[in-house]
Coordinates of all heavy atoms in Angstrom, one line a residue:
M15 N 6.0 -0.1 -11.8 CA 5.8 0.1 -10.4 C 6.4 1.5 -10.0 O 7.4 1.9 -10.5 CB 6.5 -1.0 -9.6 CG 6.3 -0.9 -8.1 SD 7.2 -2.2 -7.1 CE 6.3 -3.6 -7.8
L16 N 5.8 2.2 -9.2 CA 6.1 3.5 -8.7 C 7.2 3.4 -7.6 O 6.8 2.9 -6.5 CB 4.9 4.4 -8.4 CG 5.1 5.9 -8.3 CD1 5.7 6.5 -9.7 CD2 3.8 6.5 -8.1
L17 N 8.3 3.9 -7.7 CA 9.4 3.7 -6.7 C 9.9 5.2 -6.3 O 9.8 6.2 -7.0 CB 10.6 3.0 -7.2 CG 10.4 1.6 -7.7 CD1 11.7 1.0 -8.0 CD2 9.7 0.7 -6.5
E18 N 10.3 5.2 -5.0 CA 10.9 6.4 -4.5 C 12.3 6.2 -3.9 O 12.5 5.2 -3.3 CB 10.0 7.0 -3.3 CG 10.5 8.3 -2.8 CD 9.6 8.9 -1.7 OE1 8.6 8.2 -1.3 OE2 9.9 10.0 -1.2
N19 N 13.2 7.1 -4.2 CA 14.5 7.1 -3.7 C 14.6 7.9 -2.5 O 14.7 9.1 -2.6 CB 15.5 7.5 -4.8 CG 17.0 7.4 -4.4 OD1 17.3 7.0 -3.2 ND2 17.9 7.7 -5.3
R20 N 14.8 7.3 -1.3 CA 14.9 8.0 -0.1 C 16.4 8.1 0.4 O 16.7 8.6 1.5 CB 14.2 7.4 1.0 CG 12.7 7.5 0.8 CD 11.9 7.3 2.1 NE 10.5 7.6 1.9 CZ 9.6 7.5 2.7 NH1 9.9 6.8 3.9 NH2 8.3 7.8 2.5
G21 N 17.3 7.7 -0.5 CA 18.7 7.8 -0.2 C 19.4 9.0 -0.8 O 18.7 10.0 -1.1
T22 N 20.7 9.0 -0.8 CA 21.5 10.2 -1.3 C 22.2 10.0 -2.6 O 22.9 10.8 -3.1 CB 22.5 10.6 -0.3 OG1 23.3 9.4 0.1 CG2 21.9 11.0 1.1
R23 N 22.1 8.7 -3.2 CA 22.7 8.5 -4.4 C 21.7 8.1 -5.6 O 20.6 7.8 -5.2 CB 23.7 7.3 -4.3 CG 23.0 6.0 -4.0 CD 24.1 4.9 -3.7 NE 23.4 3.7 -3.3 CZ 23.8 2.5 -3.8 NH1 24.6 2.4 -4.8 NH2 23.2 1.4 -3.4
A24 N 22.1 8.3 -6.7 CA 21.3 8.1 -7.9 C 21.3 6.6 -8.3 O 22.3 6.0 -8.1 CB 21.6 9.0 -9.1
F25 N 20.2 6.2 -8.9 CA 20.2 4.8 -9.4 C 19.9 4.9 -10.9 O 19.0 5.7 -11.3 CB 19.1 4.0 -8.8 CG 19.4 3.6 -7.3 CD1 19.3 4.4 -6.3 CD2 20.0 2.3 -7.0 CE1 19.6 4.1 -5.0 CE2 20.3 1.9 -5.7 CZ 20.1 2.8 -4.7
Q26 N 20.5 4.1 -11.7 CA 20.3 4.1 -13.1 C 20.2 2.7 -13.7 O 21.0 1.8 -13.3 CB 21.3 4.9 -13.9 CG 21.1 4.9 -15.4 CD 22.1 5.7 -16.1 OE1 23.0 6.2 -15.5 NE2 22.0 5.8 -17.5
H27 N 19.2 2.4 -14.6 CA 19.1 1.1 -15.2 C 18.6 1.4 -16.6 O 17.4 1.8 -16.8 CB 18.1 0.3 -14.5 CG 18.1 -1.1 -15.1 ND1 18.7 -2.2 -14.4 CD2 17.5 -1.7 -16.1 CE1 18.5 -3.3 -15.1 NE2 17.7 -3.0 -16.1
G28 N 19.5 1.4 -17.6 CA 19.1 1.8 -19.0 C 18.7 3.2 -19.0 O 19.4 4.1 -18.6
E29 N 17.5 3.4 -19.5 CA 17.0 4.8 -19.7 C 16.4 5.3 -18.4 O 16.0 6.5 -18.3 CB 15.9 4.8 -20.8 CG 14.7 4.0 -20.4 CD 13.7 3.9 -21.6 OE1 14.1 3.2 -22.6 OE2 12.7 4.4 -21.5
Y30 N 16.2 4.5 -17.3 CA 15.6 4.9 -16.1 C 16.6 5.4 -15.1 O 17.6 4.7 -14.8 CB 14.8 3.8 -15.5 CG 13.7 3.3 -16.4 CD1 13.9 2.2 -17.2 CD2 12.5 3.9 -16.4 CE1 12.9 1.7 -18.0 CE2 11.4 3.5 -17.3 CZ 11.7 2.4 -18.1 OH 10.7 2.0 -18.9
I31 N 16.4 6.7 -14.6 CA 17.2 7.3 -13.6 C 16.4 7.7 -12.5 O 15.5 8.4 -12.6 CB 18.0 8.5 -14.2 CG1 18.9 8.0 -15.4 CG2 18.9 9.1 -13.2 CD1 19.5 9.1 -16.2
L32 N 16.8 7.2 -11.3 CA 16.0 7.6 -10.0 C 17.0 8.4 -9.1 O 17.9 7.9 -8.5 CB 15.6 6.4 -9.3 CG 14.7 6.5 -8.1 CD1 13.6 7.4 -8.3 CD2 14.3 5.1 -7.6
L33 N 16.8 9.7 -9.1 CA 17.6 10.6 -8.3 C 17.1 10.6 -6.9 O 15.9 10.2 -6.6 CB 17.5 12.0 -8.9 CG 18.1 12.2 -10.3 CD1 17.8 13.6 -10.9 CD2 19.6 11.8 -10.4
P34 N 18.0 11.1 -6.0 CA 17.5 11.1 -4.5 C 16.2 12.0 -4.4 O 16.0 13.1 -5.1 CB 18.7 11.8 -3.8 CG 19.9 11.5 -4.7 CD 19.3 11.5 -6.1
N35 N 15.3 11.6 -3.5 CA 14.1 12.3 -3.2 C 13.2 12.4 -4.4 O 12.4 13.3 -4.5 CB 14.4 13.7 -2.6 CG 15.2 13.6 -1.3 OD1 14.9 12.7 -0.5 ND2 16.2 14.3 -1.2
M36 N 13.3 11.5 -5.3 CA 12.5 11.5 -6.5 C 11.7 10.2 -6.6 O 12.1 9.2 -6.0 CB 13.4 11.6 -7.8 CG 12.7 11.7 -9.1 SD 14.0 11.9 -10.4 CE 13.3 11.1 -11.7
H37 N 10.5 10.2 -7.3 CA 9.9 9.0 -7.6 C 9.5 8.9 -9.1 O 9.2 9.9 -9.7 CB 8.7 8.7 -6.7 CG 7.6 9.9 -6.7 ND1 7.8 11.0 -5.9 CD2 6.6 10.1 -7.5 CE1 6.8 11.8 -6.1 NE2 6.0 11.3 -7.1
I38 N 9.6 7.7 -9.6 CA 9.4 7.4 -11.0 C 8.7 6.0 -11.1 O 8.8 5.2 -10.3 CB 10.6 7.5 -11.9 CG1 11.7 6.4 -11.5 CG2 11.2 8.9 -11.9 CD1 12.8 6.2 -12.5
D39 N 8.0 5.9 -12.2 CA 7.4 4.6 -12.6 C 8.4 3.8 -13.4 O 8.8 4.3 -14.5 CB 6.1 4.9 -13.4 CG 5.2 3.7 -13.4 OD1 5.4 2.7 -12.7 OD2 4.3 3.7 -14.2
V40 N 8.7 2.6 -13.0 CA 9.6 1.7 -13.8 C 9.0 0.4 -14.0 O 8.1 0.0 -13.2 CB 10.9 1.6 -13.0 CG1 11.7 2.8 -12.9 CG2 10.8 0.9 -11.7
P41 N 9.4 -0.4 -15.0 CA 8.9 -1.7 -15.1 C 9.2 -2.6 -13.9 O 10.1 -2.4 -13.2 CB 9.7 -2.2 -16.3 CG 10.2 -1.0 -17.0 CD 10.4 0.0 -16.0
D42 N 8.3 -3.6 -13.7 CA 8.5 -4.5 -12.5 C 9.8 -5.1 -12.4 O 10.3 -5.3 -11.3 CB 7.4 -5.5 -12.5 CG 6.0 -4.8 -12.2 OD1 5.9 -3.7 -11.7 OD2 5.0 -5.6 -12.4
K43 N 10.4 -5.5 -13.6 CA 11.7 -6.2 -13.6 C 12.8 -5.3 -13.0 O 13.6 -5.8 -12.2 CB 12.0 -6.5 -15.1 CG 13.3 -7.2 -15.3 CD 13.5 -7.5 -16.8 CE 14.8 -8.1 -17.1 NZ 15.1 -8.4 -18.5
I44 N 12.7 -4.0 -13.3 CA 13.8 -3.1 -12.7 C 13.4 -2.8 -11.3 O 14.3 -2.8 -10.4 CB 13.8 -1.8 -13.5 CG1 14.3 -2.1 -15.0 CG2 14.7 -0.7 -12.9 CD1 14.1 -0.9 -15.9
A45 N 12.1 -2.6 -11.0 CA 11.7 -2.4 -9.5 C 12.1 -3.5 -8.7 O 12.6 -3.3 -7.6 CB 10.2 -2.3 -9.6
K46 N 12.0 -4.8 -9.1 CA 12.5 -5.9 -8.3 C 13.9 -5.8 -7.9 O 14.3 -6.1 -6.7 CB 12.2 -7.2 -9.0 CG 12.4 -8.5 -8.2 CD 12.0 -9.7 -9.0 CE 12.3 -10.9 -8.2 NZ 12.0 -12.1 -8.9
I47 N 14.7 -5.3 -8.8 CA 16.2 -5.2 -8.5 C 16.4 -4.1 -7.5 O 17.1 -4.2 -6.6 CB 17.0 -4.9 -9.9 CG1 16.9 -6.1 -10.8 CG2 18.4 -4.5 -9.6 CD1 17.3 -5.9 -12.2
W48 N 15.8 -2.9 -7.8 CA 16.0 -1.7 -7.0 C 15.5 -1.9 -5.6 O 16.0 -1.3 -4.7 CB 15.5 -0.5 -7.7 CG 16.3 0.0 -8.9 CD1 17.5 -0.5 -9.3 CD2 16.0 1.1 -9.7 NE1 18.0 0.3 -10.3 CE2 17.1 1.2 -10.6 CE3 15.0 2.0 -9.8 CZ2 17.1 2.3 -11.7 CZ3 15.0 2.9 -10.8 CH2 16.1 3.1 -11.7
L49 N 14.4 -2.6 -5.4 CA 13.8 -2.7 -4.1 C 14.7 -3.5 -3.2 O 14.4 -3.6 -2.0 CB 12.4 -3.4 -4.2 CG 11.3 -2.5 -4.7 CD1 10.0 -3.2 -5.0 CD2 11.1 -1.3 -3.7
N50 N 15.8 -4.1 -3.7 CA 16.8 -4.9 -2.8 C 17.6 -3.8 -2.1 O 18.3 -4.2 -1.1 CB 17.7 -5.7 -3.7 CG 17.0 -7.0 -4.2 OD1 16.2 -7.6 -3.4 ND2 17.1 -7.2 -5.5
Y51 N 17.6 -2.6 -2.5 CA 18.4 -1.5 -1.7 C 17.4 -0.9 -0.7 O 16.3 -0.6 -1.0 CB 18.8 -0.5 -2.7 CG 19.8 -1.1 -3.7 CD1 19.5 -1.5 -5.0 CD2 21.2 -1.1 -3.3 CE1 20.3 -2.1 -5.8 CE2 22.1 -1.7 -4.3 CZ 21.7 -2.1 -5.5 OH 22.6 -2.6 -6.4
K52 N 18.0 -0.7 0.5 CA 17.1 -0.1 1.6 C 16.6 1.2 1.4 O 15.5 1.6 1.9 CB 17.9 -0.3 2.9 CG 19.1 0.6 3.0 CD 19.8 0.5 4.3 CE 20.9 1.5 4.4 NZ 21.6 1.5 5.7
E53 N 17.3 2.0 0.5 CA 16.8 3.4 0.3 C 15.7 3.5 -0.8 O 15.2 4.6 -0.9 CB 18.0 4.3 0.0 CG 18.8 3.9 -1.2 CD 20.1 3.1 -0.8 OE1 20.0 2.2 0.0 OE2 21.1 3.5 -1.2
I54 N 15.4 2.4 -1.4 CA 14.4 2.5 -2.5 C 13.2 1.8 -1.9 O 13.2 0.7 -1.3 CB 14.8 1.6 -3.7 CG1 16.2 2.2 -4.3 CG2 13.7 1.7 -4.8 CD1 16.1 3.6 -4.7
I55 N 12.0 2.5 -2.0 CA 10.8 2.0 -1.4 C 9.7 2.1 -2.5 O 9.8 2.9 -3.5 CB 10.2 2.7 -0.2 CG1 10.0 4.1 -0.5 CG2 11.3 2.5 0.9 CD1 9.2 4.9 0.6
E56 N 8.6 1.3 -2.4 CA 7.5 1.5 -3.4 C 6.7 2.7 -2.9 O 6.4 2.9 -1.8 CB 6.5 0.3 -3.3 CG 5.5 0.3 -4.3 CD 4.7 -1.0 -4.4 OE1 5.0 -2.0 -3.7 OE2 3.7 -1.0 -5.1
Y57 N 6.5 3.6 -3.8 CA 5.8 4.9 -3.5 C 4.3 4.8 -3.7 O 3.8 4.1 -4.7 CB 6.3 6.0 -4.5 CG 5.7 7.3 -4.2 CD1 6.1 8.2 -3.2 CD2 4.7 7.8 -5.0 CE1 5.5 9.3 -2.9 CE2 4.0 9.0 -4.9 CZ 4.5 9.7 -3.8 OH 3.9 11.0 -3.5
A58 N 3.6 5.3 -2.8 CA 2.2 5.4 -2.8 C 1.7 6.8 -2.6 O 2.2 7.5 -1.6 CB 1.6 4.5 -1.8
D59 N 0.9 7.3 -3.5 CA 0.4 8.7 -3.4 C -0.4 8.9 -2.1 O -1.4 8.1 -1.9 CB -0.4 9.0 -4.6 CG -0.9 10.5 -4.6 OD1 -0.4 11.3 -3.8 OD2 -1.8 10.8 -5.3
P60 N 0.0 9.8 -1.2 CA -0.8 10.0 0.0 C -2.3 10.1 -0.1 O -3.1 9.6 0.8 CB -0.1 11.2 0.7 CG 1.2 11.2 0.1 CD 1.0 10.7 -1.3
T61 N -2.7 10.7 -1.2 CA -4.2 10.9 -1.3 C -4.8 9.6 -1.6 O -6.0 9.3 -1.2 CB -4.5 12.0 -2.3 OG1 -3.8 11.6 -3.6 CG2 -4.0 13.4 -1.9
E62 N -4.2 8.8 -2.4 CA -4.7 7.5 -2.8 C -4.7 6.6 -1.6 O -5.7 5.8 -1.3 CB -3.9 6.9 -3.9 CG -4.0 7.5 -5.2 CD -5.4 7.5 -5.8 OE1 -6.2 6.6 -5.6 OE2 -5.9 8.6 -6.3
V63 N -3.7 6.7 -0.7 CA -3.6 5.8 0.5 C -4.8 6.2 1.4 O -5.5 5.4 2.0 CB -2.2 6.1 1.2 CG1 -2.3 5.4 2.5 CG2 -1.2 5.5 0.3
K64 N -5.0 7.5 1.5 CA -6.1 8.0 2.4 C -7.5 7.5 2.0 O -8.3 7.1 2.8 CB -6.1 9.5 2.6 CG -7.1 10.0 3.5 CD -6.9 11.5 3.8 CE -8.0 12.0 4.7 NZ -7.5 12.8 5.8
K65 N -7.7 7.6 0.6 CA -8.9 7.1 0.1 C -9.2 5.6 0.4 O -10.2 5.2 0.8 CB -9.0 7.3 -1.4 CG -9.3 8.7 -1.9 CD -9.2 8.9 -3.3 CE -9.2 10.3 -3.8 NZ -9.1 10.4 -5.3
A66 N -8.1 4.8 0.1 CA -8.2 3.4 0.4 C -8.4 3.2 1.9 O -9.2 2.2 2.2 CB -6.8 2.7 -0.1
Q67 N -7.7 3.8 2.7 CA -7.9 3.6 4.2 C -9.4 4.0 4.6 O -10.0 3.2 5.4 CB -7.0 4.6 5.0 CG -7.0 4.4 6.5 CD -6.0 5.2 7.2 OE1 -5.4 6.1 6.6 NE2 -5.8 5.0 8.5
E68 N -9.9 5.0 4.1 CA -11.3 5.4 4.4 C -12.3 4.3 3.9 O -13.3 4.0 4.7 CB -11.7 6.7 3.8 CG -10.9 7.9 4.5 CD -11.2 9.3 3.7 OE1 -11.8 9.2 2.6 OE2 -10.8 10.3 4.2
K69 N -12.0 3.8 2.8 CA -12.9 2.7 2.3 C -12.8 1.5 3.1 O -13.8 0.9 3.5 CB -12.4 2.4 0.8 CG -13.2 1.3 0.1 CD -12.8 1.0 -1.3 CE -13.7 -0.1 -1.9 NZ -13.2 -0.5 -3.2
L70 N -11.5 1.1 3.5 CA -11.4 -0.1 4.4 C -12.1 0.2 5.7 O -12.7 -0.8 6.3 CB -10.0 -0.4 4.6 CG -9.3 -1.0 3.3 CD1 -7.8 -1.1 3.6 CD2 -9.8 -2.4 3.0
E71 N -12.0 1.3 6.3 CA -12.6 1.6 7.6 C -14.1 1.5 7.4 O -14.8 1.0 8.4 CB -12.2 3.0 8.1 CG -10.7 3.0 8.6 CD -10.2 4.4 8.9 OE1 -11.0 5.4 8.7 OE2 -9.1 4.5 9.4
S72 N -14.7 2.0 6.4 CA -16.1 1.9 6.2 C -16.6 0.4 6.1 O -17.6 0.1 6.6 CB -16.5 2.7 4.9 OG -17.8 2.5 4.6
E73 N -15.9 -0.3 5.2 CA -16.1 -1.7 5.2 C -16.0 -2.5 6.5 O -16.9 -3.3 6.8 CB -15.2 -2.4 4.1 CG -15.5 -1.9 2.7 CD -14.6 -2.6 1.7 OE1 -13.9 -3.6 2.0 OE2 -14.5 -2.1 0.6
N74 N -15.0 -2.1 7.3 CA -14.8 -2.8 8.5 C -16.0 -2.4 9.5 O -16.5 -3.3 10.2 CB -13.5 -2.3 9.2 CG -13.2 -3.0 10.4 OD1 -13.5 -4.2 10.6 ND2 -12.4 -2.4 11.3
K75 N -16.4 -1.2 9.5 CA -17.6 -0.8 10.3 C -18.8 -1.6 9.9 O -19.5 -2.1 10.8 CB -17.8 0.7 10.2 CG -19.0 1.2 11.0 CD -19.2 2.7 10.8 CE -20.3 3.2 11.6 NZ -20.6 4.6 11.4
K76 N -19.1 -1.7 8.7 CA -20.3 -2.5 8.2 C -20.1 -4.0 8.6 O -21.1 -4.5 9.1 CB -20.4 -2.4 6.6 CG -20.8 -1.1 6.2 CD -20.8 -1.0 4.6 CE -21.1 0.4 4.1 NZ -21.0 0.4 2.6
L77 N -19.0 -4.5 8.5 CA -18.8 -5.9 8.9 C -19.0 -6.1 10.4 O -19.6 -7.1 10.9 CB -17.4 -6.4 8.4 CG -17.3 -6.6 7.0 CD1 -15.8 -6.9 6.6 CD2 -18.2 -7.8 6.4
K78 N -18.5 -5.1 11.2 CA -18.7 -5.2 12.6 C -20.3 -5.2 13.0 O -20.6 -5.9 13.9 CB -17.9 -4.1 13.4 CG -16.4 -4.4 13.4 CD -15.7 -3.2 14.2 CE -14.2 -3.5 14.3 NZ -13.5 -2.5 15.0
E79 N -20.9 -4.3 12.3 CA -22.3 -4.2 12.6 C -23.0 -5.5 12.2 O -23.9 -6.0 13.0 CB -22.9 -3.0 11.8 CG -22.5 -1.7 12.3 CD -22.9 -0.6 11.4 OE1 -23.5 -0.8 10.3 OE2 -22.7 0.6 11.7
E80 N -22.7 -6.1 11.1 CA -23.2 -7.4 10.7 C -22.9 -8.5 11.6 O -23.8 -9.3 12.0 CB -22.7 -7.7 9.2 CG -23.4 -8.9 8.7 CD -22.9 -9.2 7.2 OE1 -22.6 -8.2 6.5 OE2 -22.8 -10.3 6.9
L81 N -21.7 -8.5 12.2 CA -21.3 -9.5 13.1 C -22.1 -9.4 14.3 O -22.5 -10.3 15.0 CB -19.8 -9.4 13.4 CG -19.2 -10.4 14.4 CD1 -19.4 -11.8 13.9 CD2 -17.7 -10.1 14.6
T82 N -22.3 -8.1 14.9 CA -23.1 -7.9 16.1 C -24.5 -8.4 15.9 O -25.1 -9.0 16.8 CB -23.1 -6.4 16.4 OG1 -21.8 -5.9 16.6 CG2 -23.9 -6.1 17.7
K83 N -25.1 -8.1 14.7 CA -26.5 -8.6 14.5 C -26.5 -10.1 14.5 O -27.5 -10.7 15.0 CB -27.0 -8.1 13.1 CG -27.3 -6.6 13.1 CD -27.7 -6.1 11.7 CE -27.9 -4.7 11.6 NZ -28.2 -4.2 10.2
L84 N -25.5 -10.8 13.9 CA -25.5 -12.2 13.8 C -25.3 -12.8 15.3 O -25.9 -13.8 15.6 CB -24.4 -12.8 13.0 CG -24.6 -12.5 11.5 CD1 -23.3 -12.9 10.8 CD2 -25.7 -13.4 11.0
K85 N -24.6 -12.1 16.1 CA -24.4 -12.7 17.5 C -25.7 -12.5 18.3 O -25.9 -13.3 19.2 CB -23.2 -11.9 18.1 CG -21.9 -12.3 17.7 CD -20.8 -11.5 18.5 CE -19.4 -12.0 18.1 NZ -18.4 -11.1 18.8
D86 N -26.5 -11.6 17.9 CA -27.7 -11.2 18.7 C -28.9 -12.0 18.3 O -29.9 -12.0 19.0 CB -28.0 -9.8 18.6 CG -27.1 -8.9 19.4 OD1 -26.4 -9.4 20.3 OD2 -27.0 -7.7 19.1
T87 N -28.8 -12.9 17.3 CA -29.9 -13.7 16.9 C -30.1 -14.9 17.9 O -29.1 -15.4 18.5 CB -29.6 -14.4 15.5 OG1 -28.4 -15.2 15.5 CG2 -29.5 -13.3 14.4
P88 N -31.4 -15.2 18.1 CA -31.6 -16.3 19.1 C -30.9 -17.6 18.9 O -30.5 -18.4 19.8 CB -33.1 -16.5 19.0 CG -33.7 -15.3 18.4 CD -32.5 -14.7 17.6
K89 N -30.6 -18.0 17.7 CA -30.0 -19.2 17.3 C -28.5 -19.2 17.9 O -28.0 -20.3 18.2 CB -29.9 -19.3 15.8 CG -29.4 -20.6 15.3 CD -29.4 -20.7 13.7 CE -28.9 -21.9 13.2 NZ -29.0 -22.0 11.8
N90 N -27.9 -18.0 17.9 CA -26.5 -17.9 18.3 C -26.4 -17.6 19.8 O -25.3 -17.6 20.4 CB -25.8 -16.9 17.5 CG -25.6 -17.3 16.0 OD1 -25.5 -18.5 15.8 ND2 -25.7 -16.3 15.2
K91 N -27.4 -17.3 20.6 CA -27.3 -17.0 22.0 C -27.2 -18.4 22.7 O -27.8 -19.3 22.5 CB -28.6 -16.3 22.5 CG -28.6 -14.9 22.0 CD -29.6 -14.0 22.7 CE -29.6 -12.6 22.2 NZ -30.6 -11.8 22.8
K92 N -26.2 -18.3 23.6 CA -25.9 -19.6 24.4 C -27.0 -19.8 25.5 O -27.4 -18.8 26.1 CB -24.5 -19.5 25.0 CG -23.5 -19.5 23.9 CD -22.1 -19.7 24.5 CE -21.2 -19.6 23.3 NZ -20.0 -20.4 23.4
G93 N -27.3 -21.0 25.8 CA -28.2 -21.3 26.9 C -29.7 -21.2 26.5 O -30.6 -21.4 27.3
K94 N -30.0 -21.1 25.3 CA -31.4 -20.9 24.9 C -31.7 -21.9 23.8 O -31.0 -22.3 23.0 CB -31.7 -19.5 24.4 CG -31.7 -18.6 25.6 CD -32.2 -17.2 25.1 CE -32.2 -16.3 26.3 NZ -33.0 -15.1 26.1

């Protein structure tokens, strides 16, 4: 798991050292321990986050269009 240290102190577990304002990939076992500290967060690359967000927005738009079409079918109109 990729972690980032937003604190001012270093963290060390065996061969893994996480310095302030640094991010490293550590095994999940170590990540689970370090994530108990408020200054340690899971790191996500901003470009990857943006790509995922764009994909979700696109899927959301398609689903909204599909929902609108389904609502407009005669079977779903009330009173008819």
Side-chain angles (χ1 to χ4, degrees):
M15 183 180 296
L16 197 55
L17 299 180
E18 180 178 6
N19 182 355
R20 291 201 172 171
T22 56
R23 63 184 176 136
F25 288 81
Q26 181 176 0
H27 188 100
E29 65 188 69
Y30 299 97
I31 300 173
L32 181 55
L33 300 173
N35 301 313
M36 181 178 152
H37 54 272
I38 61 169
D39 195 15
V40 297
D42 289 346
K43 182 178 176 182
I44 297 170
K46 186 176 180 181
I47 296 168
W48 283 358
L49 286 170
N50 288 314
Y51 296 92
K52 65 180 181 178
E53 57 263 52
I54 304 297
I55 63 166
E56 187 173 353
Y57 179 79
D59 182 15
T61 56
E62 294 297 321
V63 171
K64 186 171 177 135
K65 287 178 188 176
Q67 183 178 10
E68 289 171 354
K69 182 179 177 185
L70 288 173
E71 287 173 355
S72 173
E73 289 177 19
N74 190 28
K75 183 179 177 183
K76 289 176 187 175
L77 289 172
K78 283 182 179 181
E79 290 170 357
E80 187 177 326
L81 182 60
T82 302
K83 288 178 185 176
L84 289 173
K85 284 182 179 178
D86 289 340
T87 59
K89 185 178 181 181
N90 292 327
K91 288 190 178 181
K92 295 188 182 216
K94 291 190 177 186

